[in-house]
Amino acid sequence: MTGTWFPWFARACLLFLLLTFLLSPDWFEPLLSPLAQENAPVIYNQGSLLTLTLLHLRTVAIATAAATVVAVSLAILVTRPFGAEFLPLSRSLVNVGQTFPPVAVLALAVPVLGFGEKPTLVALFLYGLLPIFENTLTGFATLPGPVLEAARGAGMTGRQRLWRVELPLAMPIILAGIRLSVVVSLATATIGSTVAAKTLGEVIIAGLQSNNTAFVLQGGLIVGAVAVLLYDGLSAIERVLARRTGLSQA
């Protein structure tokens, strides 16, 4: 009982501390002041931490949503009889994001798209395709045969089986890929500030430029806390979906 209760208590405390820091960062100045140089600002003062966090999350959400649509659509295509031959090509396409580091993608995208959020979205989109695509393939490959046969026996069309049976059953595994993509994108999005995107990387870069460890710690801790909370929340949704589909006994 205690083992189940404590993690939820710890998560609630982490969420409370994160929200408190974002809304009233000055309250934490005494804790961070030893990390700042004399007469240097302790709390990031070149913008709102709450606004930067929301913009950071928006960038990650847009990129992940686009990657999910493309990756799941490709996985559906290559798992249909008429699209099986495109599997090697699809794998090559989704591996592009892992082949080129995000920094290289940003460097290539800036001359075309300009500075700002767009190059960052491209980098995160490409980087997020692979885990979602591979997990979707795994989800379809591990579907229970008897359930699919029952759906065919009930007279369902291919489209009906996809939307009513295959996708719901594969959703926990697909969501695991989305979770991995989100967590990686949260960390990777910080480099978007090198091309003028409004992310929490702005706080970290400002700290590095001014040799202000307090700034660096603020940006890093916010990203880390958000990543932990999102990872935890998506994991909880996965467990709920797995229980509903009968894939978990927990």
Side-chain angles (χ1 to χ4, degrees):
M1 178 113 177
T2 303
T4 304
W5 172 80
F6 181 74
W8 282 108
F9 176 74
R11 294 164 195 154
C13 288
L14 179 60
L15 178 60
F16 175 77
L17 287 173
L18 175 63
L19 292 176
T20 302
F21 182 73
L22 292 177
L23 294 171
S24 303
D26 291 340
W27 292 1
F28 295 81
E29 186 169 341
L31 291 175
L32 296 170
S33 57
L35 300 175
Q37 295 181 348
E38 189 175 355
N39 298 324
V42 176
I43 302 299
Y44 182 71
N45 59 353
Q46 299 171 31
S48 165
L49 289 173
L50 177 60
T51 299
L52 286 175
T53 301
L54 294 176
L55 291 173
H56 191 108
L57 288 172
R58 185 190 69 176
T59 300
V60 171
I62 293 172
T64 303
T68 299
V69 170
V70 173
V72 173
S73 298
L74 278 176
I76 291 173
L77 171 66
V78 300
T79 52
R80 307 303 102 177
F82 60 84
E85 61 184 297
F86 296 107
L87 177 58
L89 175 61
S90 298
R91 273 214 165 99
S92 298
L93 289 174
V94 300
N95 271 292
V96 168
Q98 305 294 322
T99 303
F100 292 95
V103 174
V105 176
L106 287 175
L108 294 172
V110 165
V112 178
L113 301 173
F115 288 91
E117 186 182 33
K118 291 179 181 178
T120 306
L121 287 172
V122 172
L124 297 183
F125 166 75
L126 292 175
Y127 214 59
L129 285 172
L130 183 62
I132 302 173
F133 178 76
E134 291 295 342
N135 272 51
T136 305
L137 287 182
T138 301
F140 284 138
T142 55
L143 292 173
V147 175
L148 296 179
E149 287 301 321
R152 292 190 185 95
M156 286 188 180
T157 64
R159 181 175 296 181
Q160 288 173 329
R161 289 197 304 272
L162 172 64
W163 289 102
R164 298 183 185 180
V165 179
E166 295 180 46
L167 279 174
L169 288 175
M171 192 53 65
I173 300 177
I174 296 173
L175 190 57
I178 295 172
R179 168 169 50 85
L180 178 59
S181 179
V182 166
V183 172
V184 171
S185 292
L186 276 170
T188 308
T190 57
I191 67 172
S193 292
T194 60
V195 293
K198 302 294 288 184
T199 73
L200 288 165
E202 188 175 301
V203 184
I204 297 172
I205 292 172
L208 293 174
Q209 290 176 336
S210 61
N211 196 28
N212 190 330
T213 307
F215 283 6
V216 177
L217 187 64
Q218 286 164 58
L221 286 179
I222 294 172
V223 172
V226 171
V228 168
L229 290 169
L230 283 179
Y231 183 95
D232 227 30
L234 291 172
S235 295
I237 296 173
E238 284 174 48
R239 290 191 294 270
V240 170
L241 290 175
R243 284 196 295 269
R244 287 184 178 179
T245 56
L247 299 178
S248 172
Q249 301 300 320

